[in-house]
Amino acid sequence: MTSTAHRGAQGQSFRSLVTLLRRTLGRSWGIRAARFYAALLSLGVVTAIAISAGGLGANDTSLSLVARSAAMLVWVPGAMCALALAKPPHDASLAQGIAVLAGAHGFDGARFARAEALATVRLLGEVILVPLLFMGVFVFAILARGGLASMARPLAGSIVFGSVAAMVLGSMASVCRRWGGARGRTWLAGAVFGPWLFAEMALSGRVATYVSIPGLLGRLWEALAAVPT
């Protein structure tokens, strides 16, 4: 019983640390700009879907708009957020204070790094997934007029794609911030675009897809979210 209570307290402390790190990392202007862009994009897509549906319910155009907006959310506001998170916070004293406080509460370097990574992924998820969920619920619940089963797959696929992309970009940003320090953004840009440029210039089309993050995420989008036309 005591052991269970201790594990519960440790879990609560870890979640509190993740929340604190998320608030600290999320103060960047780059993340605020990413949130603003994502909100504008989702509102614009919802308006376009409502106009294209014309009161007749969701159609392939609506689903295609959601799917394409998933890709846009990943590569525009998602990329902006990842780049902002790839660099340590401007308030170095605050970040150092949190690290010292975490150490005083029994968090070693590995657990603190895991908490930072989870906070980073959580921020990417908020930027990418919240607008996607908003658009998906709008299409599925507001505009649906029968045929829900056929609508569920591309909508769910878009959300799964956004979730995987948030985990990948968030993990990469966390690693680059931890190991690259002030040059973390350069590390992230090199890790994402270096293999992609090499693959595009030196490898065949089929092979090139699988050796870079943009290629792999693009193939995942095609498999999960793309609506056949």
Side-chain angles (χ1 to χ4, degrees):
M1 186 73 172
T2 303
S3 177
T4 302
H6 179 65
R7 287 197 298 270
Q10 283 188 326
Q12 180 62 38
S13 297
F14 185 79
R15 289 190 292 272
S16 298
L17 178 60
V18 171
T19 300
L20 180 59
L21 288 169
R22 174 204 160 273
R23 291 177 180 173
T24 303
L25 294 170
R27 298 170 67 184
S28 165
W29 280 104
I31 297 175
R32 295 176 185 176
R35 291 182 188 276
F36 181 71
Y37 184 96
L40 284 182
L41 176 63
S42 63
L43 289 174
V45 170
V46 163
T47 302
I49 289 173
I51 293 172
S52 68
L56 300 177
N59 49 37
D60 287 346
T61 301
S62 304
L63 299 179
S64 180
L65 283 171
V66 174
R68 293 181 184 278
S69 67
M72 290 183 65
L73 284 166
V74 168
W75 292 120
V76 184
M80 291 167 59
C81 186
L83 284 172
L85 289 168
K87 185 178 179 181
H90 290 294
D91 194 342
S93 60
L94 176 59
Q96 186 177 6
I98 293 173
V100 171
L101 181 64
H105 282 77
F107 289 94
D108 57 17
R111 291 192 71 199
F112 185 80
R114 186 157 65 94
E116 272 197 323
L118 286 174
T120 305
V121 171
R122 182 174 166 181
L123 283 166
L124 261 297
E126 291 171 2
V127 169
I128 295 171
L129 289 177
V130 171
L132 263 181
L133 288 170
F134 170 64
M135 289 182 284
V137 168
F138 180 81
V139 172
F140 192 81
I142 306 301
L143 293 181
R145 298 292 187 274
L148 295 181
S150 62
M151 292 172 53
R153 189 203 67 79
L155 292 177
S158 297
I159 293 170
V160 172
F161 164 74
S163 301
V164 173
M167 287 188 286
V168 171
L169 293 178
S171 299
M172 290 291 298
S174 179
V175 169
C176 292
R177 181 180 64 245
R178 186 168 183 81
W179 294 102
R183 302 188 64 180
R185 292 177 181 174
T186 303
W187 281 42
L188 180 62
V192 172
F193 293 109
W196 177 69
L197 290 172
F198 170 77
E200 290 296 316
M201 293 186 295
L203 301 177
S204 64
R206 178 179 290 272
V207 176
T209 303
Y210 297 99
V211 299
S212 69
I213 291 174
L216 287 170
L217 290 180
R219 181 53 62 96
L220 184 68
W221 179 83
E222 292 175 358
L224 293 176
V227 178
T229 56

